[in-house]
Amino acid sequence: MSSSGNTDMKVNPQRAAQLIENLSHVSRSIQAANKQDRQIRLVAVSKLKPATDILALHSPPSSQTPHLHFGENYQQELLEKSKLLPRSIRWHFIGALQTNKCKPLAEQIPNLWCVESVDTVRKADGLEKGRKAL
């Protein structure tokens, strides 16, 4: 597999259009509610959805801006999808994380952008050790 992900995945055009419209609707709602013009990052969570759904939003038709930030709730699912999809995706891990899984998560996903569920110093240390191993 190349660093650009698996280019053999086929995205269903109707599904892609639906996902793009859904994301656009949410983005418009956020913009309308953002009265103070704050910078907001929308993380699209793909829990239990196929990698092709992520690819549809990350590699949309040329008239659309690619979505970069995607979240996963399960470590194994994140590991699998990160191997299939382009490295330009910025992954967020949003689920509960066991201490013994921190280092492997951080060292196996070079484009891991954020772990949203760090709740102990020990987990933070494990993540840091994993990043140093890259």
Side-chain angles (χ1 to χ4, degrees):
M1 184 201 74
S2 71
S3 64
S4 62
N6 184 344
T7 57
D8 296 336
M9 283 193 285
K10 302 292 184 221
V11 175
N12 177 308
Q14 292 89 357
R15 176 72 174 150
Q18 178 186 31
L19 291 167
I20 291 167
E21 177 52 38
N22 290 348
L23 184 64
S24 295
H25 175 74
V26 171
S27 295
R28 286 190 304 271
S29 296
I30 290 169
Q31 288 173 354
N34 188 10
K35 303 295 185 199
Q36 297 177 341
D37 200 30
R38 293 187 174 156
Q39 189 173 13
I40 296 173
R41 176 178 298 129
L42 176 59
V43 177
V45 177
S46 59
K47 179 180 175 182
L48 302 177
K49 297 296 180 190
T52 53
D53 280 4
I54 298 167
L55 190 60
L57 293 173
H58 185 69
S59 303
S62 60
S63 62
Q64 301 286 326
T65 304
H67 194 76
L68 298 176
H69 293 268
F70 292 89
E72 279 298 336
N73 195 55
Y74 299 112
Q75 181 184 10
Q76 187 60 39
E77 191 169 349
L78 176 55
L79 287 169
E80 290 170 9
K81 288 178 182 174
S82 70
K83 291 175 186 172
L84 291 172
L85 293 162
R87 286 246 178 116
S88 51
I89 289 176
R90 297 173 182 171
W91 288 109
H92 295 245
F93 182 75
I94 61 171
L97 184 60
Q98 298 172 348
T99 303
N100 65 330
K101 306 278 180 147
C102 292
K103 185 175 181 278
L105 180 72
E107 68 187 1
Q108 292 177 26
I109 304 173
N111 52 331
L112 181 64
W113 185 262
C114 181
V115 178
E116 312 263 352
S117 53
V118 178
D119 57 357
T120 68
V121 171
R122 194 167 165 212
K123 289 177 184 177
D125 289 342
L127 289 165
E128 185 175 353
K129 287 176 186 172
R131 290 321 254 185
K132 286 181 181 178
L134 280 177

